[in-house]
Amino acid sequence: VLISHRLNLIERADWLLVIDQGRIVESGTPAELETAGGPYARLREVAAAGGALQDIPEQLCYRTGSL
């Protein structure tokens, strides 16, 4: 089990669960989720464009505590 916001770590996983506000909103392999066009794909797009966590729209990033 790995919990991370670092895409370079989670893209190596066999299976992903994308959690938003405590609910599973997507699940599948990284390749499946990247082509599905959901939250994971949108996060990958931001990262590919050179964006950082603070560049991700609030609706795509559930944060707890301080960063």
Side-chain angles (χ1 to χ4, degrees):
V1 173
L2 170 70
I3 299 171
S4 179
H5 66 279
R6 295 182 181 268
L7 294 176
N8 64 330
L9 293 176
I10 62 174
E11 66 190 7
R12 294 184 246 163
D14 295 326
W15 192 261
L16 299 177
L17 298 175
V18 179
I19 300 172
D20 182 22
Q21 297 185 12
R23 300 182 86 172
I24 298 171
V25 295
E26 285 188 305
S27 65
T29 67
E32 290 170 341
L33 296 182
E34 192 165 346
T35 60
Y40 178 77
R42 292 192 298 271
L43 291 172
R44 298 274 304 150
E45 288 171 9
V46 169
L53 184 60
Q54 63 268 20
D55 299 325
I56 298 171
E58 188 64 33
Q59 66 270 24
L60 297 181
C61 184
Y62 180 69
R63 299 177 184 168
T64 59
S66 59
L67 296 176

